[in-house]
Amino acid sequence: MQRKLDVTTDTQARLIPQREGLPAQLPTPFPHPVETAPRGLHVMTWGCQMNAYDSGRMVDILEPLGFREVAAPEQAELVVLNTCHIRERATEKVFSELGRLHGLKRAREAAGGRMTIALAGCVAQAEGEIIRARAPYVDIVFGPQTYHRLPAMLRRAAAGERVLETEFPPEDKFDFLPGEAAPRGPSGLTAFLSVQEGCDKFCTFCVVPYTRGAEFSRPAEAVLAEARGLVARGAQEITLLGQNVNAWHGAAPDGGTWTLGRLIRALAEIPRLARIRYTTSHPRDMEDSLILAHRDVPQLMPFLHLPVQSGSDRVLADMNRGHTREDYLRLIDRLRDARPDLALSTDIIVGFPGETDAAFEDTLDLLRRVGFAQSYSFAYSTRPGTAAAARADQVAAAVKDARLQVVQAELQAEATAFNTSCLGRTLDVLFVGPGRRPGQMSGRTPYLQPVHVPGAAALVGRIVPVTIEDARPNSLGGRLVDHPEPGGQEPDRA
Ligand code: SAH
Ligand code: SF4
Ligand code: F3S
């Protein structure tokens, strides 16, 4: 059965499977009567796609120990919270969830049972010591670079130790992850694949360099092997992941070093891998070879998430982004020259310290110039330990909120305009599961828009041309080109 992750996220939710269904239920009641019975595991995931990938790999590590995923913490012997530290709100959610689990754990122990709570991810990395003090009922605290050591940590916790593993270990966790990664997207048709981790850029607002550590690229052969495995297990679409995925420069099979553009060309040679994506990119690392891959590699989808954060040169400099608005706009031109049907999405922060009304207007102007198909905007959130947190010229909360509303209205209008521009077009849709209404199936366009189409379950796993007839702000509707009647037998174009 396809395993699913319980993903509760406020960050970059676009690619993350959101509560797609319930994982397998354990037949055994709690507490497990015999040691050999499956052990319930519940993983909660917040944050970016890299956390979603990591959660899946934690499941891979724990399955050989007899753990099986369960739908709710009530049925679990081990609960893992894989957390995000990117904005204040993300962190608060973790603490409120911890409080709820503490209640469950107490009730469980009162009934003579046991529950192990493990805190993973970026909050664990950044605030491990604080959590130990504030939430002593948490058994294990470990950072994103140590989860390959989970079996040993569990043994230590079972022996009564309160485990804290937030050092950046010398070994590469990817070398120690057992088994094969599973495609965990809907119906196992799409998969994430982490190729790059960490960040050396130190944008002045951002915690990631502190929580994930220095930039690291997995070797090309390891990436290709994992991709081949995912395709063998049914994945047709792979999204390469990295905090700065286009900074990837991995050891090549020939002993040299490849760029991400070169890696994508090698991935495109894998038979039956129909769609390749990558996220998240930094404008500074958009090398020529990657732009040319957009021109030359048909499997590379014409949709690019390229965060700009601000349209003001002053704010961009204060953020330490390393590029100007003109640099960004020129880059968009070059990308669109290479791939005229490229659609773009971005991230925007409003209310960064020192952002004036004029600087905010510059951001709106940049948004209008580019016309983003999809976007994510956030009010600046002060993060402890980052350079911008110490600035005296913080923007008032009410101003941040007002600017966020303006920017979100603009971005929503641009997204709606993009969806409307798809009306009448024929787009290839990868069908992944049932649609919103009975008799409908749903899939994704090359631009990641969800599409609902009358059709039969046999469509799942096929890439089929669909004529777009209905455009909503967040989804499309249409009909199959070759078979206007529901349930047609489309040729497999994957
Ligand atoms: N590596 C990516 C971004 C990763 S974080 C890049 O460089 O673009 C995802 C998004 O969260 C960022 O693009 C940014 O828009 C937002 N973000 C990060 N830190 C933030 C903060 N302190 N306050 C508000 N938004 C933030
Ligand atoms: Fe954070 Fe900047 Fe690194 Fe992106 S590039 S992860 S925003 S420090
Ligand atoms: Fe959040 Fe860590 Fe990802 S802070 S956005 S989970 S890298």
Side-chain angles (χ1 to χ4, degrees), residues 65-87:
L65 304 185
F67 284 102
R68 295 289 175 271
E69 277 194 278
V70 292
E74 285 79 0
Q75 302 147 4
E77 173 186 326
L78 171 63
V79 179
V80 180
L81 289 85
N82 196 7
T83 62
C84 174
H85 200 50
I86 201 82
R87 284 173 294 276

Side-chain angles (χ1 to χ4, degrees), residues 113-309:
R114 229 181 53 208
M115 177 192 254
T116 303
I117 300 178
L119 191 81
C122 291
V123 174
Q125 184 67 43
E127 300 196 350
E129 295 285 358
I130 299 169
I131 288 154
R132 284 233 301 192
R134 188 169 150 184
Y137 51 88
V138 175
D139 303 278
I140 305 176
V141 176
F142 62 103
Q145 306 306 347
T146 61
Y147 64 78
H148 57 291
R149 297 178 176 179
L150 251 177
M153 291 187 232
L154 279 171
R155 275 195 300 275
R156 286 162 58 197
E161 188 186 338
R162 290 186 59 222
V163 181
L164 178 73
E165 286 248 13
T166 49
E167 299 297 309
F168 290 106
E171 76 272 11
D172 168 10
K173 71 180 174 210
F174 292 108
D175 290 342
F176 292 85
L177 297 178
E180 284 214 327
R184 290 186 158 88
S187 303
L189 291 163
T190 64
F192 290 143
L193 201 177
S194 276
V195 301
Q196 183 276 341
E197 282 233 37
C199 181
D200 297 339
K201 295 207 164 49
F202 290 93
C203 298
T204 55
F205 53 81
C206 183
V207 291
V208 170
Y210 309 98
T211 63
R212 292 272 172 172
E215 247 172 53
F216 165 79
S217 297
R218 291 177 72 186
E221 199 41 67
V223 173
L224 291 167
E226 189 165 327
R228 283 186 216 106
L230 288 166
V231 172
R233 296 176 74 166
Q236 294 188 28
E237 173 178 306
I238 291 180
T239 302
L240 307 176
L241 299 180
Q243 267 90 25
N244 280 291
V245 69
N246 56 345
W248 183 88
H249 51 280
D254 60 10
T257 304
W258 279 357
T259 61
L260 188 68
R262 179 68 189 83
L263 178 69
I264 287 169
R265 285 174 198 266
L267 285 162
E269 286 169 19
I270 299 176
R272 299 195 313 281
L273 176 54
R275 292 180 161 191
I276 302 170
R277 306 179 185 277
Y278 61 95
T279 199
T280 295
S281 308
H282 195 293
R284 255 158 76 188
D285 294 320
M286 242 17 248
E287 295 180 1
D288 289 348
S289 67
L290 186 53
I291 297 176
L292 292 177
H294 277 283
R295 184 192 67 186
D296 299 336
V297 180
Q299 294 95 324
L300 183 58
M301 289 293 99
F303 182 73
L304 176 61
H305 182 64
L306 196 60
V308 66
Q309 317 295 0

Side-chain angles (χ1 to χ4, degrees), residues 286-494:
M286 242 17 248
E287 295 180 1
D288 289 348
S289 67
L290 186 53
I291 297 176
L292 292 177
H294 277 283
R295 184 192 67 186
D296 299 336
V297 180
Q299 294 95 324
L300 183 58
M301 289 293 99
F303 182 73
L304 176 61
H305 182 64
L306 196 60
V308 66
Q309 317 295 0
S310 168
S312 151
D313 280 341
R314 173 71 200 275
V315 174
L316 285 169
D318 286 357
M319 287 176 163
N320 191 31
R321 289 292 287 180
H323 65 82
T324 63
R325 60 182 272 127
E326 268 322 300
D327 292 337
Y328 186 86
L329 290 168
R330 256 201 313 273
L331 179 57
I332 299 295
D333 286 344
R334 287 173 58 216
L335 280 158
R336 284 178 167 160
D337 283 347
R339 183 78 205 227
D341 63 339
L342 187 80
L344 289 138
S345 81
T346 201
D347 290 345
I348 296 292
I349 296 176
V350 300
F352 182 82
E355 186 189 66
T356 60
D357 285 340
F360 177 64
E361 286 302 322
D362 285 344
T363 297
L364 286 175
D365 178 71
L366 180 137
L367 298 179
R368 290 186 197 112
R369 275 172 200 241
V370 177
F372 288 99
Q374 218 188 26
S375 297
Y376 300 85
S377 48
F378 313 100
Y380 168 72
S381 173
T382 313
R383 304 314 289 133
T386 59
R391 285 180 59 146
D393 51 355
Q394 301 289 327
V395 173
V399 176
K400 285 197 263 192
D401 289 348
R403 287 181 187 165
L404 189 61
Q405 283 191 16
V406 174
V407 112
Q408 285 183 342
E410 170 61 28
L411 292 170
Q412 187 60 61
E414 291 180 16
T416 303
F418 178 71
N419 281 356
T420 307
S421 77
C422 294
L423 284 173
R425 283 180 71 185
T426 297
L427 300 175
D428 280 341
V429 172
L430 169 58
F431 281 92
V432 295
R436 205 173 351 218
R437 299 206 189 93
Q440 281 186 338
M441 300 306 290
S442 89
R444 295 276 179 151
T445 69
Y447 309 116
L448 271 182
Q449 299 141 299
V451 196
H452 303 277
V453 178
L459 283 170
V460 172
R462 295 180 172 195
I463 297 179
V464 179
V466 167
T467 302
I468 305 304
E469 296 177 324
D470 186 21
R472 295 157 187 264
N474 300 311
S475 67
L476 302 174
R479 75 180 152 78
L480 305 174
V481 170
D482 303 334
H483 296 271
E485 295 306 317
Q489 298 295 304
E490 288 64 36
D492 188 351
R493 294 162 48 105

